Amino acid sequence: MMQYLVASPFVQLVAWSVVLLVVHILLQGFSATRELGTEWNAGPRDEGRKPTGAFAGRAERASLNFRETYPAFVGLALALAIVGDPSGWGLTGAWVWLVARLAYIPLYLAGIPYIRSLVWTVSLVGLAIMFLTVVF
C-alpha cells in the first residue's frame, strides 16, 4: 500500500499545490511589504496596519480565496491516492483544479472580472470531478 502512495501522481500534485500556496503567500507578503515597508514587515505588526493599495489587496484576497478550496483539494487528492483512480477522472479533476488555480492568480491581480469568476468555477468543477471519483 505504501509503495502505491509514493507512486501515485496525486502525491506529486499535492506537492505542487504547496508550491502554489507558497506563491500566494509570497505575492501577498511582497506586495504588502512594498507598500508598508520592510520595517513594518520585520516588526510585530501590533498596530494592525494593512495595505490599502489595489495590488496588495488583490493579492491578499486571491490568497484567501485559494485557501478556501485548498483543504478540499488536499483531502480529495490524498483520498484518491489511497483508494486509487482506475478511471483517470480523479487525476483529470486534480489537474483541472491546479491549472485553474494557477490561471486565477494573474486574472485576480489584473482585476479582470467575469473571466476570473469563470476560472474559479472551473476549479470547483475539478474538485467535483475528484469528489465523484472518490465516492463512485
Side-chain angles (χ1 to χ4, degrees):
M1 171 93 147
M2 196 57 82
Q3 259 182 334
Y4 176 74
L5 289 178
V6 173
S8 173
F10 294 103
V11 174
Q12 288 186 353
L13 279 170
V14 168
W16 282 111
S17 74
V18 171
V19 172
L20 186 56
L21 174 66
V22 170
V23 166
H24 272 288
I25 292 167
L26 292 175
L27 275 170
Q28 182 181 0
F30 287 148
S31 63
T33 300
R34 191 175 87 209
E35 187 176 323
L36 299 174
T38 54
E39 198 170 302
W40 167 83
N41 190 354
R45 304 178 196 166
D46 292 334
E47 68 279 355
R49 288 177 56 207
K50 293 189 105 6
T52 57
F55 188 86
R58 290 175 186 163
E60 179 180 11
R61 290 187 299 278
S63 179
L64 290 171
N65 182 278
F66 174 79
R67 287 182 270 152
E68 288 175 348
T69 63
Y70 187 53
F73 171 77
V74 171
L76 289 168
L78 293 178
L80 283 161
I82 292 167
V83 302
D85 181 25
S87 70
W89 278 104
L91 186 58
T92 299
W95 275 109
V96 165
W97 180 87
L98 188 64
V99 170
R101 293 312 311 197
L102 276 168
Y104 186 85
I105 296 170
L107 291 170
Y108 204 117
L109 294 177
I112 299 172
Y114 303 112
I115 296 172
R116 182 195 84 223
S117 297
L118 177 64
V119 168
W120 177 83
T121 302
V122 168
S123 76
L124 286 186
V125 168
L127 290 178
I129 292 169
M130 293 171 73
F131 172 81
L132 293 171
T133 304
V134 169
V135 174
F136 298 107

